[in-house]
Amino acid sequence: MRRMLIACVALLLPAMAPAQSATQVAERAGFVGTILISQGHVVETRTSIGSAAPTGGAPVATDAVWRWASVTKQIVATLVMQEVAAGRVALDTPIARYLPKFRGPTAGQITVRQLLRHQSGLPNPSGDETAVPVYYTPSYKGDRSPLTGYCAGKPLTAPGGNWQYNNCDYIVAGALLEAVTGKSWDRLLRYRITAPLRLRSVSATRSLVATVPGYEDGKPEAPQDLASYGASAALSGTIDDLWRVDRALLSGQLLTPAARAELWDGQPALGFIALGQWVFTAPLKGCAKPVKLVERRGSIGGVEVRNFLLPEADRVVIAFSNRAPFEFGEVWQGKGFSHDLLAAAACAPGEK
């Protein structure tokens, strides 16, 4: 398939540095999708590579609406930490204090911190082996209530052990936010983040028709009910609006320094998982010293996202793809697409 490339939007960037090398990394890896790289408040690279559909045609528009998938968790964890900073929520208090109507049998044992760090042991709606778990399909007839439905069912494990990735953790966290603030998590998001930052594309209920369609193994993905992901993965928006959220986190607009440090407290013994994201330091080829990274990833159907914040370098690197499976790789392994993209962004001439 002939590849197509929308010219990079390069602001304040000489032709030699990360814009070209990042694009070359993407093309060499066979990446299809959209990439944004920024330094401070300046977007250096905004690029779409490849055609929107496997059959060819125009690339995805750089202002297209993407599913943010589990990047939603990163944002919901930020909202919870705002409540922690205000003294209305305590991370090491059982969730039963805030959700007395939650029917899960371990509500008195699961702490808010364990919920945000995937140590709750709650049921996992993504646990069945079908291509699309029935919980997320339009045909699901069960109870999706965070307090009485699937997520309040029989726990998989006792709380407090090793982390187990689970969308129920954040579906319940959304209910906790509503119980404490009196606003649904998506209304609170609008009040606290999207309205102040003037993010016009962000939605928690948008249908798949309005987002970039995904393809799995070259075929259109199976239908899903995006809203069913709730506070775990239902958000969608443009790549630019996600960048604005990242910038607000980096610049201290959304959290106090203490609350952000708690949010980004990656635990080595737990694979560097923090609250709603992973935070670790990794060597990048070409950089003079290891780089601190805040990583949040997500996928729904054929759409995948990687959202990287580099706090010490004041950089953001975001990549959306609508071709699954795509091998992003693991940064800490020192190779693969994510590593090479970050190296191109953070270790360019003059940035080492």
Side-chain angles (χ1 to χ4, degrees):
M1 179 184 71
R2 183 180 178 182
R3 304 187 55 76
M4 295 187 218
L5 174 66
I6 292 180
C8 298
V9 177
L11 309 177
L12 210 75
L13 188 71
M16 60 182 289
Q20 284 193 353
S21 55
T23 299
Q24 290 167 358
V25 166
E27 291 184 308
R28 186 167 59 247
F31 174 85
V32 176
T34 302
I35 292 170
L36 184 149
I37 298 171
S38 72
Q39 168 73 64
H41 291 281
V42 177
V43 174
E44 298 175 328
T45 306
R46 189 187 292 101
T47 285
S48 285
I49 299 172
S51 59
T55 53
V60 175
T62 51
D63 62 351
V65 172
W66 288 91
R67 292 165 232 165
W68 290 4
S70 285
V71 173
T72 303
K73 295 180 177 71
Q74 186 176 33
I75 297 169
V76 168
T78 299
L79 292 172
V80 174
M81 289 308 303
Q82 289 178 342
E83 294 303 299
V84 171
R88 291 185 287 267
V89 171
L91 285 173
D92 295 313
T93 295
I95 63 173
R97 176 173 177 178
Y98 309 106
L99 293 172
K101 295 182 179 180
F102 180 63
R103 292 184 182 176
T106 53
Q109 304 169 44
I110 300 167
T111 67
V112 177
R113 190 189 304 274
Q114 289 166 350
L115 198 67
L116 300 182
R117 197 172 263 155
H118 293 302
Q119 294 176 284
S120 72
L122 289 177
N124 184 3
S126 301
D128 70 52
E129 299 300 320
T130 58
V132 178
V134 66
Y135 183 93
Y136 307 117
T137 64
S139 61
Y140 182 69
K141 304 300 182 184
D143 182 0
R144 290 197 182 111
S145 165
L147 302 180
T148 62
Y150 184 97
C151 293
K154 183 180 178 181
L156 296 177
T157 63
N162 199 2
W163 69 274
Q164 293 180 306
Y165 195 78
N166 187 349
N167 281 344
C168 272
D169 292 333
Y170 278 79
I171 292 171
V172 173
L176 187 149
L177 282 169
E178 182 170 0
V180 172
T181 68
K183 295 181 175 67
S184 64
W185 73 272
D186 52 323
R187 284 185 60 210
L188 189 66
L189 172 73
R190 291 195 295 272
Y191 178 72
R192 296 270 182 86
I193 297 179
T194 61
L197 297 181
R198 299 181 181 180
L199 311 181
R200 297 183 178 180
S201 72
V202 181
S203 170
T205 57
R206 195 184 300 271
S207 72
L208 291 185
V209 175
T211 64
V212 175
Y215 296 88
E216 297 179 278
D217 296 318
K219 299 177 182 179
E221 64 196 357
Q224 296 193 51
D225 179 1
L226 185 59
S228 69
Y229 286 88
S232 75
L235 287 180
S236 61
T238 63
I239 196 170
D240 277 47
D241 276 354
L242 178 54
W243 169 69
R244 291 182 180 98
V245 174
D246 290 342
R247 280 297 317 150
L249 262 175
L250 285 171
S251 61
Q253 289 177 258
L254 299 181
L255 290 174
T256 64
R260 189 178 64 182
E262 195 83 65
L263 179 76
W264 287 350
D265 181 21
Q267 293 290 300
L270 296 172
F272 294 94
I273 192 169
L275 305 183
Q277 52 229 287
W278 282 258
V279 182
F280 55 98
T281 299
L284 298 177
K285 185 177 180 180
C287 280
K289 60 181 181 179
V291 177
K292 182 177 181 179
L293 300 170
V294 178
E295 178 185 357
R296 178 66 252 185
R297 61 182 65 180
S299 65
I300 292 179
V303 172
E304 298 184 74
V305 55
R306 294 294 185 274
N307 187 39
F308 293 101
L309 287 72
L310 287 64
E312 294 169 354
D314 199 19
R315 283 194 175 273
V316 173
V317 178
I318 307 171
F320 280 100
S321 174
N322 71 334
R323 300 288 204 281
F326 176 75
E327 185 53 60
F328 279 90
E330 298 293 345
V331 179
W332 54 268
Q333 292 180 338
K335 60 182 180 180
F337 177 72
S338 291
H339 167 272
D340 294 349
L341 183 64
L342 286 167
C347 310
E351 300 293 336
K352 296 181 181 179

